[in-house]
Amino acid sequence: MDEGGSRIIRRVSLRKRNRPSLGSVCAAPAAAELKPGNVEDEEMVAGSRRRKTVGVQPVEYDSEEDMFGDYDSFTENSFLAQVDDLEQKYMQLPEHRKHDTDLGIEDLCSESIKDSKLNITTVDNFTALKTDEPTKNQCGQEDVAIEPGTDLLYDVPSSQVLYFENLQNSSNDWGNQFSKEKDWNSSSHQTVNEELSHSCIEQPQQNDQSSSEVRTSSDTTRRKSLKDHLKSTMTGNAKAQTPVFSKTKQLKETLLSEEINVAKKTLESSSDDRGPFYSLPSKVRDLYVQFKGIEKLYEWQHTCLTLNSVQERKNLIYSLPTSGGKTLVAEILMLQELLCRRKDVLMILPYVAIVQEKISGLSTFGMELGFFVEEYAGSKGRFPPVKRREKKSLYIATIEKGHSLVNSLIETERISNLGLVVVDELHMIGAGSRGAVLEMTLAKILYTNKTTQIIGMSATLNNVEDLQEFLQAEYYTNQFRPVELKEYLKINDEIHEVDSKAENGITFSRLLNYKYSDTLKKMDPDRLVALVTEVIPNYSCLVFCPTKKNCENVAEMICKFLSKEYLKHREKEKCEVIKNLKNIGGGNLCPVLKRTIPFGVAYHHSGLTSDERKLLEEAYSTGVLCLFTCTSTLAAGVNLPARRVILRAPYVAKEFLKRNQYKQMIGRAGRAGIDTVGESILILQEKDKQQVLELINSPLENCYSHLVQEFTKGIQTLFLSLIGLKIATNLSDIYHFMSGTFLGVQQKILLKEKSLWEITVESLSYLTEKGLLQKDTICKAEKEVEYNFHITKLGRASFKGMIDLAYCGILYRDLKKGLEGLVLESLLHLIYLITPYDMVFLYDPDWMIYFRQFSQLSPAEQKVAALVGVSESFIGKKASGQAIKKKVDKDIVNRLYLSFILNTLLKETNIWSVSEKYNMPRGYIQNLLTGAASFSSCVLHFCEELEEFWVYRALLVELTKKLTYCVKAELIPLMEVTGVLEGRAKQLYNAGYKSLMHLANANPEVLIKTVDHLSRRQAKQIVSSAKMLLLEKAEALQEEVEELLRLPSDFPDTVASSIEKA
């Protein structure tokens, strides 16, 4: 259709259809006419209505005038002619018969409209909702065989159908009442034929009641009105755009379904033939080519995927260097589980940023292949997860959220639905309290469900035998790297290459040749400018620095000595980056970034806000920025490879570099598909030379269990959850469970002073003393006494809320005290109650700022301070440096100060202004906000288990939401989409995309043009994530509806009938 919509588009059908006339179907309410028989008459009528439409040249028209003139019909057998003849025939009949017929026409037409609504699926940018296959009615390029009489308005265009809808809406009260009955019937699971029969039989029973109302208009007027209406409606139809249904798309869906069925059989068989793409449909291979540009797997990936242990679904650990392609193998195994074995999958990743990156990357696959991708990070995630009707779910979670998810699945007896667990960065199992949580998660899965497969991967594993024993897993390793990595050391002006064959591990490579002035030598003693200018701006470079402040200083120093030629490289795009940074900062821009970005240089550390980091990472990935000065956290975070990686010093903060950290940093060198070689250069001083030589030649560090070291977050939390989930409730069962943990495997190495049995007994006694556990019953044997344990209400609340047991008692007392005088005139009191205890020690208050903010409190907020026990006079004395005799709890004072920051942030929603007001790094304020949102979610779950805290439940739901997004209310729906942060949400909102539905139906190509600095890949990911989220919400609502309509299993009639049968 052209822009003016002035061309008539007419459907051309070359197939003949047998269709009964309108009169033969509609004017038949009498019982005699409903009986089977009269076959000859029916055939004659059907034959008379056959037609063959031929090609018609489009005709242009420019006005709204009657295109049909004085013609009553276009052809002898036109639809208008049928209605015309029908009316003429029945006008001559007795009035009650005429009335019956009118009602019959009206109701049958409305019934057909309803059927059309059910059977025709709208095709738009969003995913089509599927109806039952036998009743699917498709227009456009494809015809579907329909039983004669089932779809009266099959050939009627949409605008004509609209006429009948209007006709029905304007009907009398009797008609409205009858329509309600028909609506109820159409919602049931009857066939179309049954509904039509029902309508024909029911209508005659109503004619006496409404015959007087129907006689209100004259026959002539009614006849003229009908003709005019139909003419007008058909005119509108010429302009209406008929949705086109893609036959190709449906054929692809059918093919995908068939391939999945074949793949299932292949997986179940012992055949060596693995199907089109490793037991997956060929569409998966096409998607990898389309979205990730992966056309062929590396040889090691093929070997790993075809291992007997993988085919037999044994647990597997595999280890390869960074950038070797480990994730792709895991993704293929996850897709096999989701599509072929029809089981849910859990993927555990170390950081929120990586979870969001993975969600964005896999949402497209979920949309195309029919599974859900759900985020469990920060305060996001539902416990227990929504139980899906048909589609399976891929849960992508952080370590902590993964643990909570597994707990909820065990509690609801759904752990058997979890077919596969994938753990990225498996070496994190040896990383403090987070490692202890990861160990607990895996141990519970191993103990409660033997059929769940566990896949672990890492680039830095050493004591693999211990991990193999713990996970009962096979091991695969390979030293493959798609891009060769060359390691160098820089000592003074000499560059040495790391060579394991050399006597001391290094060989001389070259002298650094760069003309340095005396000023430059003083400013840059490590010759960083010389090293970076060898690769930038045409290639990318990362400079790892020991501290955050050092990152900023190095970035500025390098820019001072770069020539002005660097300013011209992609100048326009760099201006866009600065402009976007200002927008997301509310007009504020870091002065360091303002000076460095024009040269293509930026710093990257936790002092930046999430929005700033994301924007800078996007600019680096597209080559607009060519140099990052960064801390070691970048090496473990999102994937940002470079041609050259430079380590500013062999230190992380004040600690000497570890082998694992070193390998992760240099692993970023070399970009697959872009570089032919990657280089790493470690800068060192003569004093560190011997220690560095030991570092580069030493093996990787071993992983050790932290269950005992992290006492309250480790073994005690584990015991509480084991008893709470009824996995193990007595001493012998708990000890048996502990023997199968990573700690159990390493007990000979780790437990020197006490045995595992003694530690188990002591921990259970401690939990009992704390009131978290209770000894239940005593089972007496011949000379043995065995205690059974059960969890108390406080204990259940602590493990459900994932509260650190060191703080659960304090939290309970604070919440209890809060009930005595909860101040709701301000958010400050609630904010104080959810301010994380473990962040209190990270930052000391600035007492002058504290006093200034205290003096500006409202009366309600001053009341909160008095309730928690902090007075203005105390803060005033601290600010003026006076001696204080009265003892005040320092933790409470510091916690209230953090509460002030959070309260100000929720009022102003601008991190920059709050950062200036409290003289704190904006990155720290955002970390505080993220921590508070997460802890608020934990406190909410804690309160849900304790009836006395019912008042907090509704209050904390809203507060958690406010803390999670901390933006104006209108941006929250957009920020629910993974990867859309505040800056991007503002851009989308200003471009007119104001809801989740807007984003889900957006065209990525239009998004690129309307939103600044948005790449095609990001636009597609945003749309896919929005579609996925919308589908999840729709599915959850459908599940809720079905649950409400489902007959309860304990319904009295059901119970009675089962007793009778027995």
Side-chain angles (χ1 to χ4, degrees), residues 43-58:
E43 287 180 353
M44 286 174 65
V45 173
S48 71
R49 302 301 178 218
R50 288 180 186 149
R51 61 183 172 146
K52 185 173 182 179
T53 308
V54 294
V56 180
Q57 290 296 323

Side-chain angles (χ1 to χ4, degrees), residues 657-893:
L657 201 62
K658 293 178 181 176
R659 175 71 173 169
N660 286 358
Q661 293 170 324
Y662 172 72
K663 291 294 283 184
Q664 278 199 320
M665 290 182 196
I666 67 170
R668 296 294 181 200
R671 297 167 299 172
I674 300 172
D675 299 326
T676 53
V677 67
E679 302 170 335
S680 73
I681 301 173
L682 172 56
I683 299 171
L684 63 135
Q685 309 301 321
E686 279 290 346
K687 64 183 179 67
D688 295 320
K689 183 176 178 181
Q690 191 55 43
Q691 212 171 347
V692 168
L693 290 175
E694 290 174 11
L695 169 75
I696 61 173
N697 293 309
S698 63
L700 294 164
E701 287 83 10
N702 290 335
C703 289
Y704 293 111
S705 170
H706 278 72
L707 276 181
V708 174
Q709 287 91 325
E710 301 291 333
F711 203 57
T712 55
K713 289 185 179 178
I715 199 165
Q716 290 182 2
T717 301
L718 174 59
F719 288 171
L720 199 61
S721 62
L722 288 180
I723 295 163
L725 295 170
K726 298 178 181 176
I727 295 171
T729 55
N730 59 57
L731 186 57
S732 58
D733 286 349
I734 292 169
Y735 178 74
H736 175 65
F737 179 94
M738 290 302 298
S739 301
T741 61
F742 194 37
L743 173 63
V745 171
Q746 296 182 325
Q747 58 181 306
K748 290 180 182 177
I749 305 168
L750 298 176
L751 305 179
K752 301 293 185 183
E753 296 176 2
K754 295 177 182 177
S755 67
L756 184 58
W757 175 267
E758 289 172 321
I759 288 173
T760 303
V761 171
E762 282 182 12
S763 298
L764 289 169
S765 299
Y766 176 84
L767 292 170
T768 307
E769 288 169 14
K770 281 278 186 181
L772 302 172
L773 290 180
Q774 200 169 352
K775 289 182 182 178
D776 197 3
T777 55
I778 300 173
C779 304
K780 294 184 179 179
E782 289 183 359
K783 287 185 180 179
E784 294 178 7
V785 176
E786 189 171 86
Y787 298 100
N788 277 352
F789 294 90
H790 77 263
I791 195 166
T792 63
K793 287 183 178 179
L794 179 60
R796 179 170 294 280
S798 300
F799 110 76
K800 278 290 191 73
M802 287 295 292
I803 306 294
D804 185 343
L805 299 187
Y807 303 120
C808 67
I810 305 170
L811 175 63
Y812 180 81
R813 289 193 294 273
D814 284 346
L815 292 170
K816 190 80 173 171
K817 187 179 178 182
L819 288 177
E820 295 170 9
L822 190 61
V823 179
L824 295 178
E825 293 173 62
S826 160
L827 282 174
L828 183 62
H829 201 170
L830 279 175
I831 290 170
Y832 174 79
L833 293 172
I834 56 83
T835 300
Y837 293 99
D838 55 356
M839 297 191 80
V840 169
F841 316 105
L842 299 180
Y843 214 91
D844 289 325
D846 181 315
W847 296 106
M848 284 303 297
I849 293 172
Y850 202 162
F851 182 71
R852 193 184 311 128
Q853 293 301 319
F854 206 108
S855 61
Q856 294 172 7
L857 294 178
S858 67
E861 290 168 341
Q862 287 176 356
K863 187 179 176 183
V864 174
L867 282 170
V868 300
V870 181
S871 65
E872 187 173 1
S873 62
F874 172 82
I875 304 298
K877 287 177 180 178
K878 290 290 284 184
S880 60
Q882 295 178 35
I884 299 167
K885 296 177 182 179
K886 188 181 175 183
K887 269 194 172 184
V888 178
D889 191 327
K890 184 185 174 183
D891 292 348
I892 291 175
V893 174

